[in-house]
Amino acid sequence: MSRARRPFGAALALAACAAAVLTSGASGSAAAAGNETRAAAVRQTPDEPSLTGSAKLKRRPGDDVHFSFNAHGFAEKARGTFYVSHHMGKDWGGYFKGRIDCLLTGGPVAVATGVVTESHFEAAPGLPQIGDLKGKRFGFTVLDDGMKGDRLGYSWALDGLPEKSVGLCQGSAPFETLEKGNFKVHHWMPSREVEATKATKD
């Protein structure tokens, strides 16, 4: 696809550690009980999907594109941040970043969207002009493929430039490969029983 090399074109389990000094008698029993209570609390903490990590896309020399994600939470309750930067040579480039507003996962694949809160690009003759992206929503898709190599896609794949906002949790197929870096997708979805109960209450 000829657009695949145009600028922007198609073209983070939480581990807990505890140390306890057990003494004999009642104090030892109390400490053990406390440990059991804390362990139960950890087990009862609700799980959630996540997309984390940073990477540089595999492009020709001088074409540097980086993506970073720190997204957690299910669907429209997702939260976190994203950061995208793109530079071509020394003259053209910039970045945009924002807040995550939706996240869905399926196995090793995550689809997220986020609204831009800050952007800045330097113009250069003969290269695309990118205006203020603040307030626009863009989509991202990540395939966490382990040793085979992760892949990434973005909602402006067919547009060539990030211009058009998309709906919640909409993105393209993960067609880009990585030169370095790593993404981590943790899949989770609520059980159908939980969703049915919520729908009944609503």
Side-chain angles (χ1 to χ4, degrees):
M1 183 180 292
S2 61
R3 292 185 178 180
R5 291 300 174 262
R6 290 172 54 190
F8 283 101
L12 296 157
L14 188 61
C17 297
V21 178
L22 302 182
T23 58
S24 60
S27 61
S29 298
N35 288 340
E36 292 175 356
T37 300
R38 287 191 292 273
V42 170
R43 288 195 299 269
Q44 293 170 5
T45 300
D47 203 350
E48 63 179 6
S50 64
L51 166 61
T52 57
S54 300
K56 177 183 178 182
L57 300 188
K58 189 174 183 179
R59 295 286 184 88
R60 65 179 183 272
D63 189 3
D64 299 321
V65 186
H66 297 259
F67 285 77
S68 295
F69 304 102
N70 184 12
H72 304 264
F74 177 68
E76 296 178 22
K77 293 184 178 180
R79 65 208 180 274
T81 59
F82 68 91
Y83 179 90
V84 182
S85 69
H86 191 171
H87 293 83
M88 294 189 69
K90 298 180 179 180
D91 298 325
W92 185 91
Y95 71 91
F96 62 92
K97 62 181 181 179
R99 59 177 179 81
I100 295 293
D101 65 356
C102 189
L103 174 65
L104 291 174
T105 60
V109 178
V111 180
T113 49
V115 177
V116 178
T117 58
E118 181 181 326
S119 71
H120 178 76
F121 281 87
E122 295 289 344
L127 290 172
Q129 302 289 321
I130 298 181
D132 188 5
L133 303 177
K134 188 174 181 179
K136 294 187 177 183
R137 177 190 288 121
F138 297 118
F140 313 95
T141 307
V142 169
L143 169 61
D144 178 6
D145 209 12
M147 296 299 294
K148 293 182 179 179
D150 298 346
R151 303 180 73 93
L152 180 143
Y154 35 81
S155 60
W156 60 93
L158 295 180
D159 300 323
L161 295 172
E163 296 176 332
K164 302 175 183 178
S165 289
V166 297
L168 291 168
C169 277
Q170 293 184 5
S172 78
F175 61 94
E176 296 269 17
T177 56
L178 309 185
E179 178 178 321
K180 62 181 180 180
N182 180 61
F183 293 119
K184 180 66 178 177
V185 173
H186 174 63
H187 172 61
W188 179 89
M189 292 192 75
S191 67
R192 295 184 181 275
E193 290 77 9
V194 171
E195 289 299 294
T197 299
K198 288 182 179 180
T200 301
K201 290 182 179 180
D202 293 340

